[in-house]
Coordinates of all heavy atoms in Angstrom, one line a residue:
Y105 N -7.6 24.8 -2.8 CA -6.2 24.7 -2.3 C -5.5 23.6 -3.0 O -5.9 22.4 -2.9 CB -6.2 24.5 -0.8 CG -6.9 25.7 -0.1 CD1 -8.3 25.7 0.2 CD2 -6.1 26.8 0.3 CE1 -8.9 26.7 0.8 CE2 -6.8 27.9 0.9 CZ -8.1 27.8 1.2 OH -8.7 28.9 1.8
R106 N -4.4 23.9 -3.7 CA -3.8 23.0 -4.6 C -2.6 22.2 -4.0 O -1.6 22.9 -3.5 CB -3.3 23.7 -5.8 CG -4.4 24.4 -6.6 CD -3.8 25.4 -7.6 NE -3.2 26.5 -6.8 CZ -2.3 27.4 -7.4 NH1 -2.0 27.2 -8.7 NH2 -1.8 28.3 -6.7
Y107 N -2.6 20.9 -4.0 CA -1.5 20.1 -3.7 C -0.7 19.8 -5.0 O -1.3 19.2 -6.0 CB -1.9 18.7 -3.2 CG -2.1 18.6 -1.7 CD1 -2.8 19.6 -1.0 CD2 -1.5 17.6 -1.0 CE1 -2.9 19.5 0.4 CE2 -1.7 17.5 0.4 CZ -2.3 18.4 1.1 OH -2.5 18.3 2.4
A108 N 0.5 20.3 -5.1 CA 1.3 20.2 -6.3 C 2.3 19.1 -6.2 O 2.7 18.7 -5.2 CB 2.0 21.6 -6.6
Q109 N 2.9 18.7 -7.4 CA 4.0 17.8 -7.5 C 5.3 18.6 -7.4 O 5.4 19.7 -8.0 CB 4.0 17.0 -8.8 CG 2.8 16.1 -8.9 CD 2.9 15.3 -10.2 OE1 3.9 14.6 -10.4 NE2 1.9 15.4 -11.1
G110 N 6.3 18.1 -6.7 CA 7.6 18.7 -6.5 C 7.5 19.6 -5.3 O 6.6 20.4 -5.1
Y111 N 8.5 19.5 -4.4 CA 8.4 20.2 -3.1 C 8.3 21.7 -3.3 O 7.6 22.4 -2.6 CB 9.5 19.8 -2.2 CG 9.1 18.6 -1.3 CD1 9.5 17.3 -1.7 CD2 8.3 18.7 -0.2 CE1 9.1 16.2 -1.0 CE2 7.9 17.6 0.5 CZ 8.3 16.3 0.1 OH 7.9 15.2 0.9
E112 N 9.2 22.3 -4.1 CA 9.2 23.7 -4.3 C 7.9 24.3 -4.8 O 7.4 25.3 -4.4 CB 10.4 24.2 -5.1 CG 11.7 24.0 -4.5 CD 11.8 24.7 -3.1 OE1 11.3 25.9 -3.0 OE2 12.3 24.2 -2.1
R113 N 7.3 23.6 -5.8 CA 6.0 23.9 -6.3 C 4.9 23.8 -5.3 O 4.0 24.6 -5.2 CB 5.7 23.1 -7.6 CG 4.4 23.6 -8.3 CD 4.1 22.7 -9.5 NE 5.0 22.9 -10.6 CZ 6.0 22.0 -11.0 NH1 6.0 20.9 -10.4 NH2 6.8 22.3 -11.9
F114 N 5.0 22.7 -4.5 CA 4.0 22.5 -3.4 C 4.1 23.6 -2.4 O 3.1 24.2 -2.0 CB 4.4 21.1 -2.7 CG 3.5 20.8 -1.6 CD1 2.4 20.0 -1.8 CD2 3.8 21.2 -0.3 CE1 1.5 19.7 -0.7 CE2 3.0 20.9 0.8 CZ 1.8 20.1 0.6
I115 N 5.3 24.0 -2.0 CA 5.5 25.1 -1.0 C 5.0 26.5 -1.6 O 4.3 27.2 -1.0 CB 7.0 25.3 -0.7 CG1 7.4 24.0 0.2 CG2 7.2 26.5 0.1 CD1 8.9 23.9 0.4
K116 N 5.3 26.7 -2.9 CA 4.9 28.0 -3.6 C 3.4 28.1 -3.6 O 2.8 29.2 -3.3 CB 5.5 28.1 -5.0 CG 5.1 29.4 -5.6 CD 5.7 29.5 -7.1 CE 5.4 30.9 -7.7 NZ 3.9 31.2 -7.6
N117 N 2.7 27.0 -4.1 CA 1.3 27.1 -4.2 C 0.6 27.4 -2.8 O -0.3 28.3 -2.8 CB 0.7 25.8 -4.7 CG 0.8 25.6 -6.2 OD1 1.4 26.5 -6.9 ND2 0.2 24.6 -6.7
L118 N 1.0 26.7 -1.8 CA 0.4 26.9 -0.5 C 0.8 28.3 0.1 O 0.0 28.9 0.8 CB 0.7 25.8 0.4 CG 0.0 24.5 0.1 CD1 0.3 23.4 1.2 CD2 -1.5 24.6 -0.1
S119 N 2.0 28.7 -0.2 CA 2.5 30.0 0.3 C 1.7 31.1 -0.3 O 1.4 32.1 0.3 CB 4.0 30.2 0.1 OG 4.7 29.2 0.8
D120 N 1.3 31.0 -1.6 CA 0.5 31.9 -2.3 C -0.9 32.0 -1.7 O -1.5 33.1 -1.6 CB 0.4 31.6 -3.8 CG 1.7 31.8 -4.6 OD1 2.6 32.5 -4.0 OD2 1.8 31.3 -5.7
D121 N -1.4 30.8 -1.3 CA -2.7 30.7 -0.6 C -2.7 31.3 0.8 O -3.7 31.7 1.3 CB -3.2 29.3 -0.7 CG -3.5 28.8 -2.1 OD1 -3.8 29.7 -2.9 OD2 -3.5 27.6 -2.3
F122 N -1.5 31.1 1.5 CA -1.4 31.5 2.9 C -0.3 32.5 3.0 O 0.8 32.1 3.5 CB -1.3 30.3 3.8 CG -2.5 29.4 3.8 CD1 -2.5 28.3 2.9 CD2 -3.6 29.6 4.6 CE1 -3.6 27.4 2.9 CE2 -4.7 28.8 4.6 CZ -4.7 27.7 3.7
P123 N -0.4 33.7 2.7 CA 0.7 34.7 2.8 C 1.2 34.8 4.2 O 0.4 34.7 5.2 CB 0.1 36.0 2.4 CG -1.1 35.6 1.5 CD -1.6 34.3 2.1
G124 N 2.5 34.8 4.4 CA 3.1 34.8 5.8 C 3.3 33.5 6.4 O 3.8 33.4 7.5
E125 N 2.9 32.4 5.7 CA 3.0 31.1 6.3 C 4.1 30.2 5.6 O 4.2 29.0 5.9 CB 1.7 30.4 6.3 CG 0.6 31.0 7.1 CD 0.7 30.7 8.6 OE1 1.7 30.0 8.9 OE2 -0.1 31.2 9.4
E126 N 4.9 30.8 4.8 CA 5.9 30.0 4.0 C 6.8 29.2 5.0 O 7.2 28.1 4.7 CB 6.7 30.8 3.1 CG 7.7 30.0 2.3 CD 8.5 30.8 1.3 OE1 8.1 32.0 1.0 OE2 9.6 30.3 0.8
E127 N 7.3 29.9 6.1 CA 8.2 29.2 7.0 C 7.6 27.9 7.6 O 8.2 26.9 7.7 CB 8.6 30.1 8.1 CG 9.6 29.5 9.1 CD 10.0 30.4 10.2 OE1 9.5 31.6 10.2 OE2 10.7 30.0 11.1
A128 N 6.3 28.0 8.0 CA 5.6 26.9 8.5 C 5.4 25.8 7.5 O 5.6 24.6 7.8 CB 4.2 27.3 9.0
I129 N 5.1 26.1 6.3 CA 4.9 25.2 5.2 C 6.2 24.5 4.8 O 6.3 23.3 4.6 CB 4.3 25.8 3.9 CG1 2.9 26.4 4.3 CG2 4.2 24.9 2.8 CD1 2.3 27.4 3.2
R130 N 7.3 25.3 4.8 CA 8.6 24.7 4.6 C 9.1 23.8 5.6 O 9.7 22.7 5.4 CB 9.6 25.8 4.4 CG 10.9 25.4 3.7 CD 11.8 26.6 3.3 NE 11.2 27.3 2.1 CZ 11.3 26.9 0.8 NH1 12.0 25.8 0.6 NH2 10.8 27.6 -0.1
K131 N 8.8 24.1 6.9 CA 9.1 23.2 8.0 C 8.3 21.9 7.9 O 8.9 20.9 8.3 CB 8.8 23.9 9.3 CG 9.8 25.0 9.8 CD 9.5 25.6 11.2 CE 10.5 26.6 11.6 NZ 10.2 27.2 12.9
Y132 N 7.1 22.0 7.5 CA 6.3 20.8 7.3 C 6.9 19.9 6.3 O 7.0 18.7 6.5 CB 4.9 21.3 6.9 CG 4.0 20.2 6.3 CD1 3.3 19.4 7.2 CD2 3.8 20.1 5.0 CE1 2.5 18.4 6.6 CE2 3.0 19.1 4.4 CZ 2.3 18.3 5.3 OH 1.5 17.3 4.7
C133 N 7.3 20.5 5.2 CA 7.9 19.6 4.1 C 9.3 19.1 4.5 O 9.6 17.9 4.2 CB 8.1 20.5 2.8 SG 6.5 21.0 2.1
D134 N 10.1 19.9 5.2 CA 11.4 19.4 5.7 C 11.2 18.2 6.6 O 12.0 17.2 6.6 CB 12.2 20.5 6.4 CG 12.7 21.6 5.4 OD1 12.7 21.3 4.2 OD2 13.0 22.7 5.9
R135 N 10.2 18.3 7.5 CA 10.0 17.2 8.5 C 9.5 16.0 7.8 O 9.9 14.9 8.2 CB 8.9 17.7 9.5 CG 8.8 16.8 10.8 CD 10.1 16.6 11.5 NE 9.9 16.2 12.8 CZ 10.8 15.5 13.6 NH1 12.0 15.3 13.1 NH2 10.6 15.1 14.8
I136 N 8.7 16.1 6.8 CA 8.2 14.9 6.0 C 9.4 14.2 5.5 O 9.5 13.0 5.6 CB 7.2 15.4 4.9 CG1 5.9 15.7 5.5 CG2 7.1 14.3 3.8 CD1 4.9 16.1 4.5
R137 N 10.3 14.9 4.8 CA 11.5 14.3 4.2 C 12.4 13.7 5.2 O 13.0 12.6 5.0 CB 12.2 15.3 3.3 CG 11.4 15.6 2.0 CD 12.1 16.6 1.1 NE 11.9 17.9 1.5 CZ 12.2 19.0 0.7 NH1 12.7 18.8 -0.5 NH2 12.0 20.2 1.2
E138 N 12.5 14.4 6.3 CA 13.4 13.8 7.4 C 12.8 12.5 7.9 O 13.6 11.5 8.1 CB 13.5 14.8 8.5 CG 14.4 14.3 9.7 CD 14.2 15.2 11.0 OE1 13.6 16.2 10.9 OE2 14.7 14.7 12.0
V139 N 11.5 12.5 8.2 CA 10.9 11.3 8.7 C 11.0 10.1 7.6 O 11.4 9.0 8.0 CB 9.4 11.5 9.1 CG1 8.7 10.2 9.3 CG2 9.3 12.4 10.3
C140 N 10.8 10.4 6.4 CA 10.9 9.4 5.4 C 12.3 8.8 5.2 O 12.5 7.7 4.9 CB 10.4 9.9 4.0 SG 8.6 10.3 3.9
S141 N 13.3 9.6 5.5 CA 14.7 9.2 5.4 C 15.0 8.1 6.5 O 16.0 7.4 6.4 CB 15.6 10.4 5.5 OG 15.7 10.9 6.9
K142 N 14.2 8.1 7.6 CA 14.4 7.1 8.6 C 13.9 5.7 8.3 O 14.1 4.8 9.1 CB 13.7 7.6 9.9 CG 14.1 9.0 10.4 CD 15.5 9.1 10.9 CE 15.9 10.4 11.5 NZ 17.3 10.6 11.9
F143 N 13.3 5.5 7.2 CA 12.6 4.2 6.9 C 13.4 3.6 5.8 O 13.2 3.9 4.6 CB 11.1 4.4 6.5 CG 10.3 4.7 7.7 CD1 10.3 6.0 8.3 CD2 9.5 3.7 8.2 CE1 9.5 6.2 9.4 CE2 8.7 4.0 9.4 CZ 8.7 5.2 9.9
P144 N 14.3 2.6 6.1 CA 15.1 2.0 5.1 C 14.4 1.4 3.9 O 14.7 1.6 2.8 CB 15.9 1.0 5.9 CG 15.9 1.5 7.3 CD 14.6 2.1 7.4
L145 N 13.4 0.6 4.2 CA 12.6 -0.1 3.2 C 11.9 0.8 2.2 O 11.9 0.6 1.0 CB 11.6 -1.1 3.8 CG 12.2 -2.4 4.3 CD1 11.0 -3.3 4.9 CD2 12.9 -3.2 3.2
Y146 N 11.4 1.9 2.8 CA 10.8 3.0 2.0 C 11.8 3.5 0.9 O 11.4 3.9 -0.2 CB 10.2 4.0 2.9 CG 9.5 5.1 2.2 CD1 8.1 5.0 1.8 CD2 10.1 6.4 1.9 CE1 7.4 6.0 1.2 CE2 9.4 7.4 1.3 CZ 8.0 7.2 0.9 OH 7.4 8.2 0.3
N147 N 13.0 3.6 1.3 CA 14.1 4.1 0.4 C 14.9 3.0 -0.2 O 16.0 3.2 -0.7 CB 15.0 5.0 1.3 CG 14.3 6.2 1.8 OD1 14.0 7.1 1.1 ND2 14.1 6.3 3.1
L148 N 14.3 1.7 -0.1 CA 15.0 0.6 -0.8 C 16.4 0.4 -0.3 O 17.3 0.1 -1.1 CB 14.9 0.7 -2.3 CG 13.5 1.0 -2.9 CD1 13.6 1.0 -4.4 CD2 12.5 -0.1 -2.5
Q149 N 16.6 0.5 1.0 CA 17.9 0.3 1.6 C 17.8 -0.8 2.7 O 16.7 -1.1 3.2 CB 18.4 1.6 2.2 CG 18.6 2.7 1.2 CD 18.8 4.1 1.8 OE1 18.7 4.2 3.0 NE2 19.2 5.1 1.0
I150 N 18.9 -1.3 3.1 CA 19.0 -2.2 4.2 C 19.1 -1.5 5.5 O 19.8 -0.5 5.7 CB 20.2 -3.2 4.1 CG1 20.0 -4.0 2.8 CG2 20.4 -4.1 5.3 CD1 21.3 -4.9 2.5
G151 N 18.3 -1.9 6.5 CA 18.3 -1.2 7.8 C 17.5 -2.0 8.8 O 17.1 -3.2 8.5
D152 N 17.2 -1.5 10.0 CA 16.5 -2.2 11.0 C 15.5 -1.2 11.7 O 15.4 0.0 11.4 CB 17.4 -2.9 11.9 CG 18.3 -2.0 12.7 OD1 18.0 -0.8 13.0 OD2 19.5 -2.5 12.9
F153 N 14.8 -1.8 12.7 CA 13.8 -1.0 13.4 C 14.4 0.3 14.1 O 13.7 1.3 14.1 CB 13.2 -1.9 14.5 CG 12.3 -1.2 15.5 CD1 11.0 -0.9 15.1 CD2 12.7 -0.8 16.7 CE1 10.1 -0.2 16.0 CE2 11.9 -0.1 17.6 CZ 10.6 0.2 17.2
F154 N 15.6 0.2 14.6 CA 16.2 1.3 15.3 C 16.5 2.5 14.4 O 16.7 3.6 15.0 CB 17.5 0.8 16.0 CG 17.2 -0.3 17.1 CD1 17.4 -1.6 16.8 CD2 16.6 0.1 18.3 CE1 17.1 -2.6 17.7 CE2 16.3 -0.9 19.2 CZ 16.6 -2.2 19.0
D155 N 16.5 2.3 13.1 CA 16.7 3.5 12.3 C 15.5 4.5 12.4 O 15.7 5.7 12.2 CB 16.8 3.0 10.8 CG 18.1 2.3 10.6 OD1 19.1 2.5 11.2 OD2 18.1 1.4 9.7
K156 N 14.3 4.0 12.7 CA 13.1 4.8 12.6 C 12.5 5.0 14.0 O 11.6 5.8 14.1 CB 12.1 4.2 11.7 CG 11.7 2.8 12.1 CD 11.0 2.1 11.0 CE 10.7 0.6 11.3 NZ 10.1 -0.1 10.2
V157 N 13.1 4.4 15.1 CA 12.4 4.5 16.4 C 12.3 5.9 16.9 O 11.3 6.3 17.6 CB 13.2 3.6 17.4 CG1 14.6 4.3 17.7 CG2 12.4 3.5 18.7
S158 N 13.1 6.8 16.5 CA 13.1 8.2 17.0 C 11.9 9.0 16.4 O 11.6 10.1 17.0 CB 14.4 9.0 16.7 OG 14.6 9.1 15.2
V159 N 11.3 8.5 15.4 CA 10.2 9.3 14.8 C 8.8 8.6 14.9 O 7.8 9.1 14.4 CB 10.5 9.7 13.3 CG1 11.7 10.5 13.2 CG2 10.6 8.4 12.5
L160 N 8.8 7.5 15.5 CA 7.5 6.7 15.6 C 6.4 7.3 16.4 O 5.2 7.1 16.2 CB 7.8 5.3 16.0 CG 8.7 4.4 15.1 CD1 8.8 3.0 15.7 CD2 8.1 4.3 13.7

Side-chain angles (χ1 to χ4, degrees):
Y105 298 91
R106 298 164 296 162
Y107 268 48
Q109 297 184 55
Y111 272 100
E112 287 306 315
R113 188 181 288 109
F114 180 91
I115 292 167
K116 182 182 184 306
N117 277 7
L118 291 187
S119 297
D120 289 345
D121 292 337
F122 295 96
E125 295 284 358
E126 181 177 344
E127 182 180 357
I129 297 165
R130 194 168 290 278
K131 284 182 178 179
Y132 166 80
C133 291
D134 289 344
R135 191 60 161 157
I136 283 178
R137 286 182 282 194
E138 178 192 352
V139 168
C140 289
S141 72
K142 303 290 186 182
F143 286 76
L145 282 179
Y146 184 80
N147 296 288
L148 306 181
Q149 298 171 352
I150 296 174
D152 57 36
F153 172 79
F154 295 102
D155 292 329
K156 57 194 175 189
V157 68
S158 64
V159 298
L160 295 180

